[in-house]
Amino acid sequence: MLKPKPSIDTIQPYQGGKPIEEVQRELGITDIIKLASNENPLGPSPLAVQAIAESATQVHLYPDGNAYYLKTELAQHLEVSPEHLILGNGSNDVLQLIAEAYVAPDDEVIYAAGAFVVYSLVTKLCSATAVVVPMVNDTHNLSAMAAAITDKTKVIFVANPNNPTGTMVTADETAAFIEQVPENVLVVFDEAYYEYVARSDYPQTLPYVLEGRNFIITRTFSKIYGLAGLRIGYGIAPPTLVETLNRVRQPFNCSLVGQAAARAALKDTDHVTKSQKSNAVGKTFLYKAFDDMRLGYIRTEGNFIMLHVEPSGAEITDALLKQGVIVRPMAGYGYPNTVRVTIGTQQENERFITALKVVSYQLPVKRSLVADSTLVPATKAQLTTDN
Ligand SMILES: *Cc1c(COP(=O)(O)O)cnc(C)c1O
């Protein structure tokens, strides 16, 4: 029998949000809303749609493998040089490039229990040892992560804000953490929701890159820019690291249409502002609705909220599905009693709350949960070497 390398057997296949068409097919219902994958409910920028249409006639050509225009414009936007940028087929691609380039078997990779699942995936892909550090208050515990560093540590992944918990680490915590990380360890800050964060104590991490530290920021066009379907993400890193990552990268990992759309989306600052405002309004609306229903939830810095439900996230997800609302159960992240809901348009948020109320009458939902309770993950409360 043909066997994959041993570490591959330990990988659980990624469970994404169900596509709308699949739910339509399986349940025979129409008028479905998807609040399951943290997509921008306002859709893509109209300028991006136009750029996509215009680029359609060029798709017989390979894309520019070096993405000259996108990198130049992105560099200008970020006030870095193009040499600081590595593009990916989504930022997940960049996360994988980082692991492939730097992580050897038996190296240790540190990330938090309840952090974005891709860190675990790419660690296993490289047959490395995962050092999984528990969160405190559903938030990355940076001092515990620093304390977990050994001679074997190669990479530390931090999602800020984190998906699925929506929590963030502060500028002060980050500065103290960076002080403790030895020079030969690579720190990766995954900032997929960067543009949504409004808190003033959110760390601006670009200086860590520009100081030439072993520090990489990843960001994406999938979330606020509304281009998840086109798979464009990027890393910001010191040029020497970018040069290494470029050796691992597939030469045409960013499509021609994706590059064109990302350039247009970047210029559409109105769309970004609208999306930020819509998210802030939706967040306030949902918090109020959850408070009224006495449901516990975690305050979020992203465009999604993790909500405590009974009897289980899986059952509530199924029941909501029958109401035509797709959300995500979070048991795979060690949170069996939660669902994660993406903040939608006002209309979608109202539909979700209506459906949640219907479901809460159908199921024996505990209706007296303390709002803003700390959701304790089911994972062990000690340092583990795998999750
Ligand atoms: C969505 C998300 C990503 C990126 O996804 P891509 O579509 O691959 O850019 C990365 N990190 C986190 C924490 C996310 O939630």
Side-chain angles (χ1 to χ4, degrees):
M1 203 179 85
L2 183 63
K3 282 194 171 175
K5 56 184 184 178
S7 62
I8 303 302
D9 279 333
T10 65
I11 297 177
Q12 302 286 333
Y14 181 77
Q15 297 274 350
K18 278 194 181 232
I20 289 175
E21 293 77 12
E22 189 179 316
V23 177
Q24 268 169 358
R25 247 189 345 261
E26 287 178 358
L27 296 179
I29 44 178
T30 51
D31 194 21
I32 292 162
I33 59 167
K34 184 182 176 202
L35 299 173
S37 299
N38 305 344
E39 293 142 337
N40 186 336
L42 305 187
S45 141
L47 298 185
V49 173
Q50 192 185 340
I52 291 165
E54 284 167 10
S55 66
T57 58
Q58 303 302 308
V59 296
H60 58 297
L61 302 172
Y62 277 98
D64 174 3
N66 190 36
Y68 174 82
Y69 291 107
L70 175 55
K71 271 200 206 167
T72 304
E73 288 160 14
L74 198 51
Q76 215 168 8
H77 173 79
L78 298 166
E79 298 181 14
V80 299
S81 80
E83 289 71 36
H84 284 99
L85 297 175
I86 172 89
L87 293 187
N89 187 34
S91 58
N92 284 345
D93 185 28
V94 179
L95 297 171
Q96 183 167 333
L97 294 178
I98 292 167
E100 285 173 336
Y102 291 101
V103 179
D106 302 328
D107 281 348
E108 292 176 359
V109 175
I110 298 177
Y111 52 85
F116 188 49
V117 75
V118 169
Y119 317 140
S120 150
L121 206 80
V122 300
T123 301
K124 288 171 177 171
L125 182 67
C126 296
S127 304
T129 301
V131 176
V132 185
V133 179
M135 291 190 168
V136 170
N137 294 334
D138 309 299
T139 307
H140 279 72
N141 182 352
L142 289 185
S143 48
M145 291 177 81
I149 295 170
T150 71
D151 288 347
K152 290 183 166 180
T153 305
K154 205 58 178 282
V155 177
I156 306 176
F157 287 108
V158 177
N160 203 40
N162 182 46
N163 170 16
T165 57
T167 54
M168 64 165 237
V169 293
T170 65
D172 287 350
E173 286 163 359
T174 303
F177 170 71
I178 296 299
E179 279 297 301
Q180 296 177 68
V181 178
E183 240 173 64
N184 59 349
V185 172
L186 174 58
V187 174
V188 180
F189 263 54
D190 176 348
E191 299 179 353
Y193 302 94
Y194 175 84
E195 299 83 1
Y196 281 111
V197 183
R199 268 172 60 172
S200 59
D201 55 350
Y202 181 65
Q204 293 301 330
T205 48
L206 208 48
Y208 297 125
V209 173
L210 299 177
E211 282 165 11
R213 288 175 189 270
N214 290 323
F215 194 101
I216 304 182
I217 301 164
T218 59
R219 293 189 195 156
T220 184
F221 284 92
S222 297
K223 302 288 157 61
I224 209 162
Y225 290 104
L227 299 178
L230 284 176
R231 317 299 309 124
I232 302 279
Y234 58 96
I236 316 167
T240 50
L241 275 65
V242 169
E243 199 269 336
T244 300
L245 295 174
N246 266 322
R247 295 183 200 203
V248 183
R249 182 177 68 84
Q250 292 287 327
F252 302 112
N253 65 336
C254 292
S255 75
L256 182 142
V257 178
Q259 289 182 34
R263 291 177 62 199
L266 196 59
K267 291 192 188 89
D268 197 346
T269 50
D270 271 0
H271 189 69
V272 172
T273 308
K274 261 189 217 158
S275 304
Q276 286 163 333
K277 282 188 183 150
S278 160
N279 192 64
V281 170
K283 179 159 56 170
T284 306
F285 171 83
L286 289 174
Y287 282 175
K288 168 91 173 46
F290 297 153
D291 288 342
D292 290 348
M293 293 176 78
R294 305 198 49 128
L295 293 171
Y297 58 91
I298 304 174
R299 298 182 76 83
T300 186
E301 308 309 325
N303 67 339
F304 54 89
I305 302 173
M306 212 156 106
L307 178 66
H308 193 163
V309 291
E310 301 281 348
S312 73
E315 282 165 273
I316 296 295
T317 300
D318 281 348
L320 284 171
L321 212 52
K322 297 194 177 95
Q323 302 293 317
V325 178
I326 314 175
V327 299
R328 279 283 276 286
M330 286 291 138
Y333 281 82
Y335 289 92
N337 284 104
T338 67
V339 295
R340 189 195 64 200
V341 61
T342 303
I343 299 168
T345 60
Q346 184 60 26
Q347 207 182 0
E348 287 171 334
N349 295 336
E350 285 171 13
R351 250 224 42 215
F352 165 64
I353 293 298
T354 304
L356 195 60
K357 284 180 178 161
V358 170
V359 164
S360 73
Y361 288 114
Q362 288 168 348
L363 288 164
V365 179
K366 257 195 227 152
R367 295 168 59 77
S368 59
L369 296 164
V370 183
D372 231 347
S373 64
T374 294
L375 310 180
V376 183
T379 36
K380 283 182 249 44
Q382 281 110 32
L383 200 65
T384 55
T385 50
D386 200 1
N387 72 343

